[in-house]
Amino acid sequence: MAEVIKMPRMSDTMTEGVIVEWHKKVGDKVKPGDLLADVETDKATMELESYNEGTLLYIGVEKGKSVKVDGVLAIVGKEGEDYKSLLGGAGADAAPKAENAPDAATTAPAAKKTAPAVTPEQLGVTVIRMPLLSDTMTEGKILKWNKQVGDKVKSDDSLADVETDKATMEVVGYADGTLLYVGTPEGEAAKVNDIIAIVGKEGTDVSALVASLSSEQEARPASAVQETQQATTADTSSASTGTPVSDSSDDGRIKASPLAKKIAQEKGIDLKLVQGTGDGGRIIKKDVDEYVPAARSATAPAAAAVPAFAPAPGTEGYTDVSLSQMRKTIARRLSESKFGAPHFYLTMEIVMDNAMAARAQMNEVSPVKISFNDMVVKAAAMALRKHPAVNSSWMNESIRQWHHIHIGIAVAVDEGLIVPVVRFADQKSLSQIAAESKELSGKARNKKLQPNEFTGNTFTISNLGMMDIDEFTAIINPPDSAIMAVGRIRETVVKKGDGFGVSNIMKITLSCDHRSVDGAVGAAFLQTFKKYLENPVTMLV
């Protein structure tokens, strides 16, 4: 009997998935363990395997389209088996008929539409939409088109550089053919799932398809106007360079294939020094393999010879800095947190004398250097295990207490702030936390974090102690109920016995969401945190 394959819930916050690629087509034989499709969730792109054996009879979602969790993806059964009863209702039957019966669509009266309904399958083209590149992304800004209308493209070519709220990333078309249409000019933003390009056979007329698909999203300028705007932008960009582009870098960003980047990282090669021979000067594997370090000496003197610019005394003026996607998201999320969640603050002093002595001893045997922040992460995670009410999220109708403890560590980057996450921090040793924190911080500063590495936090730590800040208050990082602000360790004169002595004091401030964490609950958590940090040996047993 035929069986329906539905969209599974692949993450705790997933509501829908986008089909990135189908690896099977209708009529193919499948067996348990076969890879059916690649699915983009709100966290990452994951593989969907078959748990059924038979023939793929039906595919309900085309490549590039999204489907809700538990929505019908496909049907597997015996070859030739009638599966239509499994689709359920007239609504489910209507979609396949509309796609497979163009004659009926063209004979139906066109209400308020002059363009005939047409699908990508009928034209044999691939529609490329703005992908969801991070869990908080709502739109992406096209920084640069790496291909122009009429260019030949391969499935692994980088079509465009897109600025999201987290980083600048490449959009790959996953299709061979000719770039027939560009829907968003350089410098403009497109919402997630909006059409940004179409790839297909050279000479294919996609104007009817564009008109048909445009009804699914907000009104945009006509196709001819968009192409004119893009051509104008491209001409202006080329004219401003003055010379043909032969560098592997544009606007300070390196154009290189993912494989080339990986090999360069393994070999310790600076990609800025490598000459790209791929399309548009893109660095490919061959360029990295054949790179000779001697090329550095030829470029260094020229760079050193450029004099630094200094403005004339008394010059007045200002510069309006365009908001990056990251800065927009920081502004939106923290405004919602500050003015939506009633904050209150608890400050406590921690005597760090024992922690400093213990750290020195642990670093003599640890394979990686343990920092004071690593000790703060461990102490906070263990305290959260004893005070689950702090390890929670406000859900409007309920308070969700998380069973796992994922600590977010705020890291400052050029564009703003990002929070890599150390997962299951209470279960990891200090050495493991130190190694993971160092790796995540490096990735954050190099814009190499993957979505699963900056999502899922249940508690956050922000440390400005290394910048000589004594104490501060932090805004809660949604969806957490609390965030800990950590200041510097400062020598302080204190009374000891009958006299006075010097102790090393660190101030921390806990910001709490009063909807889910009460004052007494937050204070009890800090007392436990203080005991762990002032007696580090208790974190090791």
Side-chain angles (χ1 to χ4, degrees):
M1 179 179 177
E3 296 186 47
V4 175
I5 298 175
K6 296 184 177 182
M7 173 64 74
R9 187 181 299 277
M10 296 176 167
S11 77
D12 55 338
T13 56
M14 176 181 173
T15 58
E16 65 179 14
V18 176
I19 301 297
V20 176
E21 186 70 53
W22 280 104
H23 295 285
K24 298 287 185 180
K25 61 181 182 295
V26 172
D28 285 355
K29 301 291 185 182
V30 296
K31 58 182 182 294
D34 280 356
L35 178 60
L36 290 181
D38 293 333
V39 177
E40 182 183 56
T41 73
D42 60 332
K43 303 292 187 183
T45 298
M46 307 175 73
E47 295 180 342
L48 175 66
E49 294 184 357
S50 171
Y51 294 96
N52 311 91
E53 185 166 1
T55 300
L56 187 58
L57 303 174
Y58 169 81
I59 288 179
V61 184
E62 67 183 51
K63 173 183 172 182
K65 292 291 184 66
S66 63
V67 61
K68 299 287 186 183
V69 170
D70 289 333
V72 177
L73 286 178
I75 296 178
V76 173
K78 294 181 180 179
E79 188 172 358
E81 184 177 356
D82 184 6
Y83 60 84
K84 293 181 180 179
S85 61
L86 295 176
L87 295 176
D93 291 332
K97 289 177 182 177
E99 290 178 1
N100 298 324
D103 293 338
T106 54
T107 56
K112 296 185 182 180
K113 280 191 179 182
T114 57
V118 64
T119 66
E121 289 77 12
Q122 292 170 341
L123 296 180
V125 300
T126 299
V127 175
I128 298 167
R129 299 175 181 266
M130 177 62 71
L132 184 66
L133 301 172
S134 80
D135 61 322
T136 56
M137 175 182 171
T138 58
E139 65 179 16
K141 180 179 179 181
I142 302 292
L143 293 182
K144 180 177 177 60
W145 280 104
N146 300 319
K147 297 290 183 179
Q148 304 298 323
V149 172
D151 286 354
K152 300 290 184 182
V153 297
K154 298 178 181 177
S155 60
D156 60 346
D157 279 350
S158 171
L159 296 183
D161 295 336
V162 174
E163 182 188 57
T164 74
D165 59 329
K166 301 292 186 183
T168 299
M169 307 174 76
E170 294 181 342
V171 171
V172 179
Y174 298 107
D176 292 337
T178 300
L179 185 59
L180 303 173
Y181 169 81
V182 166
T184 306
E186 290 181 0
E188 293 191 10
K191 293 181 180 179
V192 170
N193 216 34
D194 274 3
I195 302 161
I196 59 174
I198 297 177
V199 174
K201 185 178 179 181
E202 185 176 4
T204 303
D205 183 4
V206 296
S207 56
L209 175 62
V210 172
S212 177
L213 295 176
S214 294
S215 62
E216 300 175 5
Q217 60 190 48
E218 294 180 359
R220 289 183 176 274
S223 140
V225 175
Q226 290 176 326
E227 291 177 7
T228 303
Q229 290 174 337
Q230 185 202 6
T232 304
T233 305
D235 292 343
T236 304
S237 176
S238 299
S240 66
T241 60
T243 56
V245 178
S246 59
D247 262 0
S248 60
S249 173
D250 285 322
D251 300 328
R253 293 194 65 251
I254 304 298
K255 294 197 303 181
S257 70
L259 180 58
K261 290 179 180 179
K262 181 179 179 181
I263 296 173
Q265 183 179 14
E266 292 173 351
K267 292 185 176 182
I269 296 175
D270 185 354
L271 286 175
K272 293 180 181 178
L273 306 176
V274 179
Q275 183 73 29
T277 60
D279 291 343
R282 193 167 187 247
I283 299 171
I284 58 178
K285 176 180 180 293
K286 177 173 174 263
D287 301 326
V288 178
D289 290 338
E290 297 178 356
Y291 170 69
V292 179
R296 178 189 295 269
S297 60
T299 60
V306 178
F309 170 77
T315 301
E316 294 184 0
Y318 62 86
T319 300
D320 290 331
V321 179
S322 299
L323 295 178
S324 65
Q325 296 299 311
M326 178 181 288
R327 179 53 63 185
K328 288 180 182 178
T329 299
I330 290 172
R332 174 176 55 82
R333 285 171 60 83
L334 294 188
S335 294
E336 291 171 355
S337 174
K338 180 64 176 177
F339 301 110
H343 285 52
F344 72 90
Y345 309 96
L346 302 171
T347 301
M348 180 175 282
E349 291 187 347
I350 312 291
V351 179
M352 296 293 289
D353 294 342
N354 290 338
M356 294 175 72
R359 174 176 175 262
Q361 292 178 339
M362 287 187 289
N363 278 334
E364 290 180 1
V365 295
S366 175
V368 60
K369 186 177 180 181
I370 297 169
S371 68
F372 288 114
N373 198 65
D374 299 327
M375 300 177 75
V376 169
V377 170
K378 178 66 173 178
M382 295 184 68
L384 287 171
R385 180 57 64 195
K386 292 190 175 183
H387 301 274
V390 183
N391 192 52
S392 64
S393 297
W394 176 258
M395 306 300 292
N396 292 322
E397 298 299 327
S398 63
I399 297 173
R400 178 172 294 170
Q401 292 187 0
W402 301 101
H403 296 165
H404 54 270
I405 296 173
H406 296 345
I407 305 293
I409 303 173
V411 176
V413 295
D414 292 341
E415 292 81 5
L417 191 72
I418 194 166
V419 184
V421 179
V422 177
R423 298 176 181 274
F424 307 104
D426 59 318
Q427 302 175 31
K428 293 178 178 176
S429 68
L430 282 165
S431 296
Q432 290 171 328
I433 291 174
E436 191 170 336
S437 297
K438 183 178 180 181
E439 180 184 4
L440 290 172
S441 296
K443 285 185 175 181
R445 294 187 178 96
N446 293 324
K447 299 182 179 180
K448 293 182 179 179
L449 283 175
Q450 296 301 306
N452 64 305
E453 294 174 324
F454 55 75
T455 57
N457 47 283
T458 62
F459 184 87
T460 302
I461 292 171
S462 180
N463 191 338
L464 291 178
M466 71 291 294
M467 303 181 76
D468 290 336
I469 301 300
D470 287 333
E471 62 177 308
F472 66 104
T473 58
I475 300 174
I476 296 169
N477 178 34
D480 301 350
S481 286
I483 183 172
M484 181 180 288
V486 182
R488 71 184 179 108
I489 299 173
R490 179 172 53 88
E491 285 189 344
T492 304
V493 177
V494 297
K495 192 175 187 307
K496 290 187 175 182
D498 295 333
F500 294 89
V502 174
S503 283
N504 294 279
I505 305 296
M506 181 179 74
K507 286 187 178 181
I508 56 100
T509 300
L510 185 70
S511 304
C512 301
D513 183 346
H514 215 326
R515 297 173 300 178
S516 49
V517 179
D518 291 330
V521 173
F525 164 77
L526 286 184
Q527 287 180 324
T528 303
F529 171 80
K530 179 184 177 76
K531 289 178 182 177
Y532 279 128
L533 207 52
E534 289 188 342
N535 299 281
V537 68
T538 58
M539 294 190 288
L540 307 177
V541 295

